[in-house]
Amino acid sequence: MAKIKTIGILTSGGDAPGMNAAIRAVTRAGISAGFKVNGIYRGYKGLITDEIVEFKTQNVSNIIQQGGTILKTARCKEFQTPEGRQIAYDNMRKHDIDALVVIGGDGSLTGARIFANEFDVPVVGLPGTIDNDLYGTDHTIGYDTALNTIMWCVDRIRDTATSHERLFFIEVMGRNAGFLAINGAIASGAEAAIIPEISTQEDQLAELIQNGFRKSKNSSIVLVAESPITGGAMGLAERVRNEFPQYDVRVTILGHLQRGGSPTAQDRILASRMGAGAIDALIEGQRNVMIGDYDETIIYVPFNKAIHMDKPVDPSLVETLRRLSI
Ligand code: F6P
């Protein structure tokens, strides 16, 4: 394998708090190891439009605490075509970039896998998404911050829910995964979470209604994962209004505020460890792997597994929430 001299780094897909900490870690660990590091702006789009700038250590100063991504991000349709990827590869060569570090979610790592195979270039991925839906890592970068933001929001909604004795459905992000909903519910003391992992097996709303939500209180908070499988907060509220008009129902959709904010200590540390891990992986000759954090240890997860294998929600979390919401 040709010796790696220059590494390109990009962030892609939905931004996540901690991406900047990861950019900083990859840049600094890369420079420490003797690599040249190039920042690629706007994800794969910038690789196609040639928005590539050399990064020195000072380019990543004072960013560890910032949300979003200083490299910007995009979802790039052109990179899904062979013609787009060819232009991206030509630009890589033009800048003498020998290897890529891609920070993003499953869509971004899918793009990375295709590109790496097509042009035989070493690519290492970092799991950067609030959804926590990538197999092979206990947590993804951004998940903990989003979880804390959800908890902060639900604490405030609870004040008004209690005052008015209302039932609130609060919709959270997560795409097709229920990690934010189930752990957000446990952290905020919500009465229930409706998550896609269970929605196919049982009618969670009917079960909730049957149990009378929380019997000891007149207000209730239910976190709903945004996946269409759950019916969404709007859909569930509509059902309650039609079938159980005795409840005074309201809906809050937390939306993109879940993606913002300064990363928590946990996300900064995870991003820093993973960023340094990406450089170690390249030095060791690894390619086409995602960096994972499994039981506090940095591991290399082949792209195929990270993207295609299901990451299940731990059933004991569902059980814990049930036991505590009596
Ligand atoms: O994957 C991260 C995520 O925030 C999902 O939770 C959400 O479904 C999606 O991105 C929203 O994407 P966009 O910012 O393109 O609306």
Side-chain angles (χ1 to χ4, degrees), residues 14 75 129-131 173-175 226 256 259:
R75 301 191 196 277
T129 167
I130 64 166
D131 301 340
M173 281 186 167
R175 210 175 283 274
E226 67 175 349
H256 286 79
R259 288 227 300 249

Side-chain angles (χ1 to χ4, degrees), residues 31-80:
I31 291 171
S32 297
F35 296 125
K36 191 170 151 186
V37 178
N38 281 353
I40 301 160
Y41 284 85
R42 298 182 175 78
Y44 296 120
K45 191 163 173 258
L47 202 51
I48 293 172
T49 52
D50 194 4
E51 296 180 76
I52 302 173
V53 172
E54 184 176 353
F55 266 23
K56 303 283 191 194
T57 59
Q58 54 273 26
N59 287 89
V60 294
S61 291
N62 290 329
I63 65 166
I64 195 168
Q65 77 282 14
Q66 289 173 23
T69 159
I70 59 158
L71 281 175
K72 316 285 181 200
T73 185
R75 301 191 196 277
C76 178
K77 284 257 176 301
E78 212 185 337
F79 195 73
Q80 290 170 17

Side-chain angles (χ1 to χ4, degrees), residues 9 22-23 26 101-105 109 124-129 134 141 271 274-275 277-278 289-291 303:
I9 174 171
I23 294 167
V26 171
V101 176
V102 172
I103 308 169
L109 298 189
V124 170
L126 294 190
T129 167
L134 287 162
I141 297 164
M274 285 183 162
V289 293
M290 180 193 84
I291 305 298
F303 277 152

Side-chain angles (χ1 to χ4, degrees), residues 133-136 301-312:
D133 58 350
L134 287 162
Y135 176 88
V301 189
F303 277 152
N304 265 343
K305 278 194 172 176
I307 298 159
H308 295 304
M309 288 185 66
D310 269 349
K311 180 171 172 182

Side-chain angles (χ1 to χ4, degrees), residues 272-317:
S272 301
R273 290 173 56 234
M274 285 183 162
I279 297 300
D280 291 339
L282 289 171
I283 292 170
E284 290 166 28
Q286 295 282 343
R287 41 167 57 208
N288 308 347
V289 293
M290 180 193 84
I291 305 298
D293 178 36
Y294 183 76
D295 266 352
E296 305 285 321
T297 305
I298 292 293
I299 59 166
Y300 306 140
V301 189
F303 277 152
N304 265 343
K305 278 194 172 176
I307 298 159
H308 295 304
M309 288 185 66
D310 269 349
K311 180 171 172 182
V313 163
D314 180 352
S316 75
L317 292 172

Side-chain angles (χ1 to χ4, degrees), residues 144-154 254 257-261:
D144 184 64
T145 308
L147 207 48
N148 277 281
T149 302
I150 290 168
M151 185 181 72
W152 188 94
C153 291
V154 177
L254 295 185
L257 74 81
Q258 293 162 93
R259 288 227 300 249

